[in-house]
């Protein structure tokens, strides 16, 4: 089997696919209060197109897919799409990133499908602070989802975007949760992908500051072994059931082992989170490309994968500044 390999010898085995650009929340770090300019429905990839792209990529070595958005559960028939995707026997893992506000009624169905991990985004454990961050009053529903997922057979990870002065006083509470709860909490460095570029993103709550802060309160923290291509550096407080990790999304110290590509909801292929998109796969398909054409295309465009996120950012031509909303990129 021909495999997707970039010019640095990195094998690409992980696709992040945004199934929509729409969202039911308005997280301050992701988009402005009025939302973003969503695209016309016909500009979105259809489920059939997404299935086909995933199938072709899986025949080139992609064995792991993360479905994200926007909020994936906002899109009609998303669960049916998951069923469809479960038939792809080349995939070892189908994971989902969600804000959790719409999924509680789907959890038992998800348990019957080939779903690996659910990453649940929850940036505060306090109802008022949560509402301030997301601009929506859905904390109770999201926390209910958290508890249902914990009881389910699905693997759970929590995503917490670390926002200076907004939820940094809660980081220790999140670590505290892992005492009796067997899941992973991952702290994500905030990036400027917020749909306006107007929010000041300070690097001060970066990886080093986060771990230093946690270490001053917990004396016995041990690093735990992670996959080479893991997005987070992971730790455990001695005696705690769960673990916590830090994703250096903005300081980009993990790019060297990157095995990921992205496809946005409009079919834009991205070699890196920080690039502007290198090719529109949707247009190529709609112009009649065959599966072999798609294979040749993917094999050649991953060769252009930049060494790291700083190079990708420097290569941007249209919008020099990184300011598009994460909901259009697929975080
Ligand atoms: N709506 C889903 C959710 O929130 O989980 C999936 C899409 S969201 C864009 C994917 C992930 O990106 C979430 O965990 C979110 O917190 C994170 N994210 C969004 N904007 C970000 C930013 N500016 N910096 C860091 N992480 C961000
Ligand atoms: Fe929506 Fe997720 Fe962005 Fe929040 S982070 S606005 S939930 S897409």
């Amino acid at each position: 089997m021909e495999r997707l390999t970039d010019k640095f010898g990195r094998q690409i085995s992980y696709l992040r696919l945004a199934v929509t650009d729409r969202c039911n929340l308005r997280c301050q770090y992701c988009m402005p209060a009025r939302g973003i300019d969503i695209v016309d429905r016909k500009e979105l990839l259809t489920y059939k197109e997404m299935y086909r792209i995933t199938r072709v990529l899986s025949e080139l070595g992609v064995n792991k897919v993360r479905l994200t958005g926007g909020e994936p559960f906002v899109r009609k028939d998303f669960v049916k799409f998951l069923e469809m995707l479960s038939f792809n026997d080349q995939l070892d893992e189908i994971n989902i990133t969600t804000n959790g506000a719409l999924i509680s009624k789907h959890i038992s169905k998800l348990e019957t499908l080939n779903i690996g991990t659910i990453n649940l985004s929850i940036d505060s454990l306090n109802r008022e602070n949560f509402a301030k961050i997301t601009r929506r009053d859905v904390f109770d529903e999201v926390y209910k989802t958290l508890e249902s997922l914990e009881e389910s057979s699905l693997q759970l990870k929590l995503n917490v975007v670390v926002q200076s002065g907004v939820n940094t006083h809660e980081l220790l509470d999140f670590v505290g949760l892992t005492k009796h709860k067997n899941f992973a909490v991952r702290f994500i460095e905030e990036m400027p992908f917020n749909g306006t570029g107007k929010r000041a993103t300070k690097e001060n709550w970066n990886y080093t500051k986060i771990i230093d802060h946690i270490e001053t309160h917990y004396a016995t923290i041990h690093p735990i072994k992670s996959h080479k291509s893991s997005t987070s550096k992971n730790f455990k407080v001695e005696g705690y059931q769960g673990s916590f990790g830090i994703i250096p999304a903005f300081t980009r110290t993990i790019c060297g082992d990157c095995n990921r590509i992205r496809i946005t909801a409009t079919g834009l292929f991205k070699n890196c989170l920080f690039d502007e998109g290198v090719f529109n796969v949707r247009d190529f398909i709609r112009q009649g490309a065959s599966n072999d054409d798609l294979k040749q295309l993917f094999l050649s465009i991953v060769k252009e994968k930049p060494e790291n996120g700083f190079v990708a950012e420097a290569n941007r031509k249209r919008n020099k500044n990184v300011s598009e909303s994460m909901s259009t990129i697929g975080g």
Side-chain angles (χ1 to χ4, degrees), residues 17 38 75 172 283:
L17 178 62
I38 54 170
R75 187 151 178 186
L172 299 175
D283 294 348

Side-chain angles (χ1 to χ4, degrees), residues 26 52 98 147 223 325:
R26 293 288 178 272
R52 186 169 160 213
T98 174
E147 291 182 322
S325 165

Side-chain angles (χ1 to χ4, degrees), residues 173-191:
D173 297 338
F174 276 106
V175 176
L177 267 190
T178 66
K179 184 170 187 177
H180 299 297
K181 293 184 186 286
N182 187 14
F183 53 57
V185 173
R186 288 119 43 86
F187 299 113
I188 308 175
E189 289 177 348
E190 182 176 353
M191 298 176 284

Side-chain angles (χ1 to χ4, degrees), residues 3 129 136 239 307:
R3 287 184 172 274
N129 204 26
R136 296 290 183 271
E307 188 172 7

Side-chain angles (χ1 to χ4, degrees), residues 111 146-153:
E111 286 181 290
L146 187 160
E147 291 182 322
S148 310
L149 285 170
E150 238 191 303
E151 284 162 20
S152 75
S153 58

